[in-house]
Amino acid sequence: MYQSFYYKQLTPPKLKPEGWMYRQLRTQADGLCGNLDKVWPDIKESGWTGGEKEGWERVPYWLDGFIPMAWLLDDSDLKACADKYINAILSRQQEDGWICPCDKEERPRYDIWAAFLICKVLVVYYECTEDARIEQAVYKALKCISRHLEVHTLFDWGASRWFECLIPLGWLYDRHPERWMQDLAVLLRVQGVDYEKLFENWPYRKPQEKGRWNYLTHVVNLSMCLRSDMLYNSFEGRKIGDFAEKALNMLLDYHGMPIGHFSGDECLAGKSPLSGTELCGIVEAMYSYEWLLCGTGGDIWADRLENLAFNALPATISSDMWTHQYDQMSNQIQCSILSPEKTPFLTNSGESHIFGLEPNYGCCTANFGQGWPKLAMSAILLSKKGIAVGAVLPCSASMEIDSTQVYFQIVTDYPFADGYRVIVQTDRPAEFEISLRIPDGAAEAYVDGEKVEGNRCKLQRRWEGKSEINVVFAFEAKLQPQYEDMYYVKRGPLVFSLPVKAQWRKKEFVRDGVERRYPYCDYELYPESAWNFAFADGKFMYNKKNPGIGAFDSQNPPVCLKTTLCPVEWPAENGVAAIRPSSLTPVGPEVEAELVPYGCTDLRMTVMPVAEPYRKEI
Ligand SMILES: [Zn+2]
């Protein structure tokens, strides 16, 4: 399956996060993800480890991020915790290979999406540890799934996410191919949702009707399905087609948000700045783009990955990474609990945008942890000719290329700096290619002072001793059209927003036996600064503010854009801004404002019109 891939990821211990990437992972480990087994019953007392609580997707979701985080940080306590869970899961695997925690008579009604997920997690664990028990456990579990599907067809989540099983199946097939594995791949494809057909006849061009939940417009299923076609085609040894590109363009055309993702609260919700999008959808779309980058080599997937990682992901998780939202909004002026009839969300509850332990539903609580660790593994990629820079992140790696020991390091504060330095060191002279990525949207780019064109600069050289390469690019901040005649600002991979000062009101309580207590409590956020503005002349001055501080800290954004805004009449109801202002005529003098990266905001205005006196100039 992987032989045809353009790139191969490096995993820990070969790969090491550095700089802000390391700090982000450390914050995650010190926050909710690193402590979920101590504070959340669905992990602490899970059915997967013999407890009475949830025995389906939550432990596998959590381990999927927790394991790579533990090994990237090389943290012995976290590794010991992951080992404990994997040992408990392996020890409970049944004689016939069944690996999920349910009794034999419950199996026909058990949604085996969780079985796909745990097999995928076991592969992640193997990649970090090379534990010899894993291959046999995955073999037995997948064989059991293939027998199960002959009599119990896929339904619900298993049918929507059938392709996830191809990840462990492809891994196993590459190691020891057997005929039944090909048959299982076909069975999954035939019993699962045909996304190719769905997008050929795409009926979902409007927001989902309020209150009508649907598997086919479900934002997480759609984020995941972007990897379906490439997984199936590469398993079958066929060329990867353009399904993902076409499907994503369709989703963005009708439901796109400034963050480069589509809305879904939790089904497709259109382009309004009040539409929400779910955290699980963000991390699953990132994971799709990571696969697509490696499978196709298309740099567009690295750009899309960075868009989500540098904007949507940090914005919807608090700076201390103890709390998160279920749904984030482009224009989010207050995050307070709303009654069902007052929520702007189509099928999510009125608490979906508060920051908390498990607002609306606990899937994101378990699943969000995969975002940062998997991103780190997309930075330094092995190509058939040498080494390629994928997502631009501070990381280093030690590897062997044609019997030569190679150390490769990316030194950067990007996306808060406009460039990066590569350090490469070999233990003996060796010839291979280093492929440098230039992010999309760079007005110009230079490698060691020489101007380069396009998204890649490939250096095929004989590398000897220690070398350094300097990559510099230039970005311009520009207004981009978004919804009706409203705009947002983007500079390189970063979307900028007007930050609204937030008062965090702590809420500690127990509901259904789940305790919210500081630091894993809920918060409502109320605005303490004005937000009712329109853009003025559309000119932006880029400034560095707090270089070297935590990457996505809402108290200390590292960079800003200075601009002029005009106050306008823009009403709000129940803490939700109207879709647009009631008039574009300024109601007071212009103000000098600082826009900050969307990912460094808690409350914000992102999508705004241009005020009346300037409309002709834009
Ligand atoms: Zn979720």
Side-chain angles (χ1 to χ4, degrees):
M1 177 170 173
Y2 299 100
Q3 287 87 349
S4 62
F5 274 29
Y6 211 86
Y7 298 128
K8 192 174 173 329
Q9 285 190 346
L10 287 168
T11 46
K14 290 193 187 94
L15 180 75
K16 290 198 190 319
E18 300 188 338
W20 75 257
M21 187 73 243
Y22 178 87
R23 291 198 295 276
Q24 200 70 15
L25 289 169
R26 193 64 252 173
T27 307
Q28 176 168 318
D30 295 340
L32 189 63
C33 181
N35 290 287
L36 207 53
D37 60 309
K38 301 178 194 80
V39 305
W40 205 41
D42 280 348
I43 301 297
K44 199 163 60 171
E45 301 151 43
S46 167
W48 286 95
T49 48
E52 294 296 313
K53 301 288 189 221
E54 208 255 23
W56 189 54
E57 68 178 8
R58 293 192 174 175
V59 155
Y61 259 163
W62 171 65
L63 289 173
D64 196 20
F66 185 88
I67 293 169
M69 176 182 81
W71 268 266
L72 281 165
L73 290 170
D74 195 18
D75 181 311
S76 52
D77 289 345
L78 297 175
K79 287 185 196 176
C81 176
D83 291 341
K84 194 179 81 184
Y85 273 83
I86 294 294
N87 291 342
I89 291 164
L90 293 181
S91 72
R92 283 176 173 75
Q93 186 169 22
Q94 304 292 299
E95 205 43 48
D96 66 353
W98 185 266
I99 196 164
C100 300
C102 79
D103 293 335
K104 209 155 193 173
E105 54 278 12
E106 291 168 15
R107 287 186 191 180
R109 292 183 308 281
Y110 188 88
D111 188 328
I112 62 164
W113 144 242
F116 304 163
L117 202 49
I118 198 65
C119 288
K120 181 182 81 169
V121 166
L122 290 175
V123 173
V124 171
Y125 184 72
Y126 179 86
E127 298 291 352
C128 294
T129 61
E130 298 190 359
D131 185 321
R133 298 168 300 167
I134 297 300
E135 188 173 321
Q136 186 62 8
V138 173
Y139 182 96
K140 282 173 70 182
L142 291 174
K143 193 96 196 245
C144 181
I145 288 173
S146 88
R147 283 192 302 269
H148 180 80
L149 288 182
E150 285 167 10
V151 266
H152 306 293
T153 47
L154 288 174
F155 59 89
D156 295 354
W157 301 104
S160 306
R161 301 170 178 183
W162 57 272
F163 46 84
E164 206 73 341
C165 189
L166 297 174
I167 297 173
L169 190 62
W171 174 81
L172 194 63
Y173 188 76
D174 275 354
R175 300 165 77 81
H176 294 292
E178 288 181 21
R179 173 72 217 193
W180 67 267
M181 299 173 187
Q182 293 172 323
D183 296 339
L184 175 55
V186 173
L187 210 56
L188 291 161
R189 174 76 174 82
V190 169
Q191 292 186 17
V193 171
D194 186 343
Y195 287 103
E196 225 179 331
K197 200 85 199 150
L198 179 69
F199 278 95
E200 268 172 35
N201 302 279
W202 183 242
Y204 302 119
R205 293 166 194 238
K206 294 211 168 81
Q208 181 75 33
E209 200 180 310
K210 197 160 172 103
R212 281 192 62 179
W213 192 94
N214 182 343
Y215 278 105
L216 296 180
T217 59
H218 188 272
V219 68
V220 187
N221 288 346
L222 292 169
S223 301
M224 294 176 71
C225 91
L226 297 171
R227 56 183 177 263
S228 62
D229 189 66
M230 74 142 298
L231 288 170
Y232 188 71
N233 279 336
S234 31
F235 187 87
E236 294 274 293
R238 284 201 298 260
K239 200 171 169 292
I240 297 165
D242 59 357
F243 164 81
E245 185 67 38
K246 281 188 177 158
L248 182 59
N249 285 337
M250 200 91 88
L251 289 163
L252 295 177
D253 279 353
Y254 296 100
H255 306 279
M257 301 170 79
I259 48 173
H261 193 51
F262 39 95
S263 64
D265 52 24
E266 77 197 16
C267 298
L268 291 173
K271 297 177 88 162
S272 155
L274 305 180
S275 301
T277 200
E278 186 192 332
L279 173 49
C280 279
I282 302 296
V283 290
E284 292 294 348
M286 286 172 63
Y287 188 52
S288 290
Y289 303 161
E290 287 153 10
W291 273 102
L292 286 155
L293 172 63
C294 284
T296 67
D299 286 314
I300 183 86
W301 299 112
D303 289 305
R304 286 175 172 148
L305 174 61
E306 288 184 355
N307 268 337
L308 296 188
F310 300 156
N311 297 294
L313 182 65
T316 206
I317 303 172
S318 57
S319 302
D320 65 2
M321 294 190 79
W322 272 101
T323 69
H324 67 275
Q325 297 173 292
Y326 195 84
D327 288 329
Q328 62 182 296
M329 303 152 82
S330 304
N331 288 353
Q332 180 174 285
I333 58 157
Q334 184 169 312
C335 299
S336 57
I337 297 169
L338 300 166
S339 59
E341 66 280 3
K342 289 182 178 148
T343 161
F345 309 126
L346 300 177
T347 57
N348 284 151
S349 76
E351 67 162 38
S352 301
H353 57 324
I354 69 161
F355 284 78
L357 175 67
E358 49 166 40
N360 190 57
Y361 189 69
C363 52
C364 309
T365 310
N367 193 17
F368 82 84
Q370 67 166 305
W372 291 114
K374 290 187 184 173
L375 172 75
M377 292 193 280
S378 290
I380 302 174
L381 304 168
L382 287 178
S383 73
K384 293 198 170 69
K385 294 178 181 167
I387 307 168
V389 174
V392 177
L393 301 164
C395 284
S396 67
S398 301
M399 69 206 97
E400 204 180 279
I401 298 178
D402 294 336
S403 314
T404 304
Q405 281 301 319
V406 181
Y407 172 79
F408 189 90
Q409 186 184 19
I410 303 173
V411 183
T412 187
D413 280 332
Y414 177 83
F416 307 114
D418 297 343
Y420 58 98
R421 222 153 33 94
V422 160
I423 296 167
V424 58
Q425 201 163 356
T426 61
D427 68 344
R428 64 187 179 93
E431 188 170 333
F432 55 90
E433 180 186 274
I434 291 181
S435 172
L436 304 164
R437 179 169 151 263
I438 312 295
D440 194 38
E444 46 191 32
Y446 298 84
V447 172
D448 284 339
E450 294 228 355
K451 193 167 183 183
V452 294
E453 303 289 339
N455 292 112
R456 283 272 155 205
C457 172
K458 296 179 178 178
L459 306 175
Q460 174 77 35
R461 281 186 201 162
R462 190 172 163 81
W463 304 95
E464 196 173 341
K466 187 176 171 185
S467 314
E468 234 183 272
I469 310 159
N470 263 298
V471 185
V472 179
F473 24 81
F475 292 123
E476 222 180 297
K478 277 193 213 149
L479 282 181
Q480 316 270 349
Q482 167 58 22
Y483 180 73
E484 296 180 353
D485 62 346
M486 298 201 280
Y487 300 82
Y488 67 96
V489 197
K490 201 169 176 211
R491 184 187 184 278
L494 294 179
V495 174
F496 282 77
S497 305
L498 174 71
V500 179
K501 193 166 181 293
Q503 184 195 65
W504 289 64
R505 294 190 195 164
K506 196 194 296 175
K507 295 171 79 79
E508 295 183 312
F509 62 101
V510 177
R511 187 166 73 199
D512 301 331
V514 182
E515 183 188 47
R516 277 84 165 165
R517 188 152 60 93
Y518 178 82
Y520 51 95
C521 54
D522 286 3
Y523 295 93
E524 287 187 307
L525 273 60
Y526 288 84
E528 287 190 319
S529 63
W531 52 268
N532 331 46
F533 293 99
F535 290 113
D537 58 8
K539 293 193 170 64
F540 305 99
M541 178 120 74
Y542 181 66
N543 271 78
K544 298 223 173 217
K545 260 174 86 81
N546 300 299
I549 299 184
F552 294 100
D553 183 345
S554 54
Q555 296 304 310
N556 296 294
V559 294
C560 73
L561 287 179
K562 290 191 184 231
T563 192
T564 311
L565 299 177
C566 295
V568 289
E569 187 70 40
W570 196 331
E573 209 178 331
N574 307 307
V576 180
I579 288 188
R580 46 181 305 117
S582 39
S583 160
L584 297 179
T585 307
V587 293
E590 293 175 2
V591 297
E592 293 303 311
E594 272 189 8
L595 309 184
V596 302
Y598 177 102
C600 298
T601 60
D602 304 317
L603 297 179
R604 64 184 157 261
M605 287 296 282
T606 311
V607 180
M608 299 183 277
V610 174
E612 198 51 69
Y614 294 99
R615 286 167 67 73
K616 284 191 203 73
E617 296 169 26
I618 301 294

